[in-house]
Amino acid sequence: MTMHLTDQSMEGHVLVAKTSLNVSSSGARGKMLSEDLGQKAAALLLEEIRRGGCIDTGMQSLAFVLMSLCPGDVARVRVGTLSKYSIEALRLIKEMVRIEFKVVPDEEIFSSV
């Protein structure tokens, strides 16, 4: 069972949270109610909204890799709190591709641009 929750901001940004029930373990179906799965998805969506980014925490590193492939200073993205994985991805990009990102904290909503 998988659940997707979608939210659209006043500026038109669409945020999605996805959660699923792991049915690969024996008898997992039925151990979690649909309402509990919905509450889990809602909590994930609210956490991403609280972080203030335009992309979710799990996709930050992918965005950084794709931005490193662009020529010059043409890419810009607003992310929430940087995850440890994203920080390591930025270090690897700097080491491998010789590209350094300029990270500017946005004090108003506590996110990074």
Side-chain angles (χ1 to χ4, degrees):
M1 180 185 321
T2 302
M3 181 171 291
H4 297 266
L5 289 180
T6 306
D7 179 52
Q8 186 169 2
S9 70
M10 302 285 266
E11 294 85 19
H13 301 285
V14 177
L15 299 170
V16 178
K18 174 186 171 184
T19 188
S20 61
L21 180 62
N22 185 2
V23 294
S24 62
S25 60
S26 62
R29 190 178 295 257
K31 288 188 178 181
M32 181 182 272
L33 296 174
S34 299
E35 292 84 4
D36 296 335
L37 191 64
Q39 287 180 346
K40 182 180 174 184
L44 289 171
L45 181 61
L46 289 173
E47 178 63 22
E48 290 298 331
I49 292 170
R50 183 194 65 78
R51 291 176 186 233
C54 290
I55 58 173
D56 72 342
T57 307
M59 298 306 283
Q60 288 175 353
S61 57
L62 177 62
F64 298 150
V65 169
L66 294 175
M67 288 170 61
S68 70
L69 301 174
C70 294
D73 295 334
V74 297
R76 187 176 196 177
V77 67
R78 178 181 299 272
V79 297
T81 306
L82 290 174
S83 67
K84 291 179 183 180
Y85 188 80
S86 296
I87 293 169
E88 187 60 31
L90 289 171
R91 287 181 184 143
L92 287 171
I93 291 169
K94 181 179 178 183
E95 182 181 322
M96 303 291 278
V97 190
R98 309 266 191 253
I99 293 177
E100 193 169 334
F101 285 84
K102 180 181 178 184
V103 179
V104 180
D106 186 350
E107 300 297 329
E108 186 177 321
I109 58 172
F110 305 109
S111 67
S112 300
V113 177

